[in-house]
Amino acid sequence: MNQDYIIPNEWSIIEKGFHKENITASESIFSIGNGAMGQRANFEETYSGETFQGSYIGGIYYPDKTRVGWWKNGYPEYFAKVLNAPNWIGINININGNPLDLNKCKVSDFKRELNMKEGVLTRSFNAELTNGDKLKVNAIRFLSLNFNETGAIKYSVTPINFSGEIEFIPYIDAGIVNEDSNYDEYFWEILQFEEEENEAYILSKTFKTEFHVCTGMKVDFTLNNYEINLNKEVEKKEKSIAFKYKTNVNQGDIFTIYKYGGYTQSMNHKIEDLIFTLEKELQKIAIIGFDDLYQKQKDAWQKIWETADITIEGDIKAQQAIRFNIFQLNQTYLGEDSRLNIGPKGFTGEKYGGSTYWDTEAYCIPFYMSTKDKNVAKNLLLYRYNQLDRAIENAEKLGFKDGAALYPMVTMNGEECHNEWEITFEEIHRNGAMIYAIYNYVNYTADYSYIPEYGMEVMIAVARFWQQRATFSKAKDKFVILGVTGPNEYENNVNNNWYTNYLAKWCIDYALENLQILKADYAEDYQRIIAKTKFSEDEFDAMKNVADNMFFPYSKEEDIFLQQDGFLDKELIPVDQLPKSERPINQKWSWDRILRSPYIKQADVLQGIYFFENEFDKNTIKRHFDFYEPLTVHESSLSPCVHSIIASKIGMNDKAYELYLRTARLDLDDYNHEVHEGLHITSMAGTWLSIVQGFGGMRNFNNSLSFDPQIPKEWKSYSFKINYRGATIKMYKNHEGCKFTNESDAPVDIKVHGKNVTISSNELVALHRLESI
Ligand code: BGC
């Protein structure tokens, strides 16, 4: 473990003491967001030391030209960058003419706290400037869940050993660049400034994509809690606007600025209304006032926690970690807008371009489906449904026809924007995850209507892709899928990746099965879909032929499915025999060496076994885990969670716990030495899965909800809630047994350790002395 400065606490992430070396890591960890926008925990006042400034607005990106030395047909035109948005949080401070800059003064009693229960970030410290002036600062900031285009800051300064002049300089600045911009390229064009009273607005638009954004601020002041009016001086620059307010304060006075700010943007409003709408929003929240707004924020978070919370007794670090994961997932996506999605870094950094990956379908959907209303998961599915035409275009570019679709590996608006040929063209398994997510949703919610209304069209298009992508091997007398990259990106251009072949067959089978259901029970929808997609009986037979005759690489001696053709030719030296100094291999080895090695980045065969666990018996699952896990380096944040869930399933409890810890505190303890780049948001859903499906053993196959609860010996108890088909079920487990509570009006049938249990409305069922670890 590499970083250990976060103080364990049940509900808060706390940092005490000012350590310059932690600044960029803390800027990631203490990030705040409200589903519509988010920002790194940058200081309000100027900071001349190393910092990574970041504020992001959901859906706003820039199509950066792909720069490669050569070109391959079919390459995407651009890489979508999530754009660093104009800064509205800035408040520079001058004390008797000297700037407050924590990089240049003596700092004591520094404390930063991210209160996850309430959704607020606070910071307090004492600073001594070079001339000896000492002051105390308290700052509170949040992005409002109730008014999601806005946020609020309360920033108070108290002179400790002097009386004199304090100047607050709140500003908004659209002169922002991305950390990852090529040659400091600038992405925003300034269109208009507006300023009145204590308010300022800048209207800007992004180059190329022409997203229009209005950034604004409105400020108020109090001295010792009494409102005061101050005259201002305006400082307008080419890309920013600042107001300067000065006043004389006495030693011990509390001088406070309230800054309300935020963005309106053209995805949600007409361009001509952007400034006016933001004015109205900021005026509204300023009238509500900071304290009431804060109370509303607490109430809104309390509502989220009511179902989303997981409690862990007896291990405070584990408790803190799971809440951190749940909190960050909710800061990133709240499910109200089907045009938004969950980027691997959420609103906490620029890496991965803030775009949508298969992470959403494979990892995030179960979390949102179980802890929120089912419409939230449905919105995530609709995001892909609405991009189906683009997925069809994408497949056409690569030579597929007749309405076959290939969903992009990475996207902002449905177009592919990832450009490494071995991933863009070859990591096609992502197409299967789209269908798995539909299956998962329908299976869990019993909302079958999704399939006739939307899902079937996606399934047909994806099944067409698989049918066309498979080729017939005379030598094998089977259909094969050549030249692919599986989830394990440490193997490229392999033939017959077992996971991909399995998923391809499953997608076709599932599509054909549902076509038959629709034909029998939803005749009108069936006719509409057949007409729209021009699906024919011949196509049905051709697809079935591929699915029925798919090739699966298998080793008789080992009795395991092979990750791909020829996998056993590798030198199968387990990871624990690799010197520590050579890991992580993606930082220490050349790419060709990684490709030749047997080392697995993340679950691959095991990803398939995890998805389709009901199709394999326990011994088969264990054999595969025992074979593949020792070769796995877990160098994707998505890896430990799947392994932890499978380890729980096969009774390898210590292993399950070890892998759980790796996923849960990945960012808080910075296992991969990269937290400064941003948080691993999508893998946080995997952490949730490791508890609910891993230790809790929750499964939902064949219309039955079952649990097989176990508890790590390090914990006293844990509990979680899930929304399931209109019921809210709470599971509590300790070393004595487990309890289920049905917090709703309808009875629910579940299975616990294989036994049927009905829990009536508002009833608690306790099952004692069932197996625990
Ligand atoms: C993983 C992919 C994942 C991506 C974004 C990569 O490192 O290998 O499976 O989709 O990160 O999280």
Side-chain angles (χ1 to χ4, degrees), residues 349-418:
E350 297 170 5
K351 207 173 162 195
Y352 296 110
S355 312
T356 309
Y357 285 65
W358 73 303
D359 304 25
T360 296
E361 284 73 21
Y363 292 83
C364 300
I365 281 190
F367 167 78
Y368 289 103
M369 198 154 64
S370 300
T371 61
K372 295 198 183 297
D373 183 88
K374 73 175 177 357
N375 285 326
V376 171
K378 187 170 175 181
N379 272 343
L380 288 170
L381 298 185
L382 286 172
Y383 175 92
R384 297 292 191 174
Y385 174 77
N386 292 331
Q387 296 181 351
L388 178 59
D389 289 347
R390 295 241 163 114
I392 292 174
E393 270 169 35
N394 185 40
E396 273 167 10
K397 275 189 205 156
L398 306 186
F400 297 89
K401 51 188 191 323
D402 303 332
L406 174 60
Y407 276 91
M409 185 67 197
V410 179
T411 193
M412 279 306 296
N413 65 357
E415 288 169 335
E416 177 65 84
C417 53
H418 188 285

Side-chain angles (χ1 to χ4, degrees), residues 713-725:
K713 55 183 177 302
E714 291 78 0
W715 299 355
K716 280 192 186 144
S717 76
Y718 70 100
S719 73
F720 59 78
K721 281 189 194 172
I722 53 154
N723 284 328
Y724 178 71
R725 302 187 180 184

Side-chain angles (χ1 to χ4, degrees), residues 24 135 729:
T24 51
L135 57 136
I729 302 165

Side-chain angles (χ1 to χ4, degrees), residues 344 352 357-359 409 427 429 487 489 601-602 635-638 682:
Y352 296 110
Y357 285 65
W358 73 303
D359 304 25
M409 185 67 197
E427 208 176 329
H429 68 81
E489 293 175 343
K601 182 182 180 190
Q602 66 200 88
E635 286 176 16
S636 159
S637 63
L638 299 175
T682 47

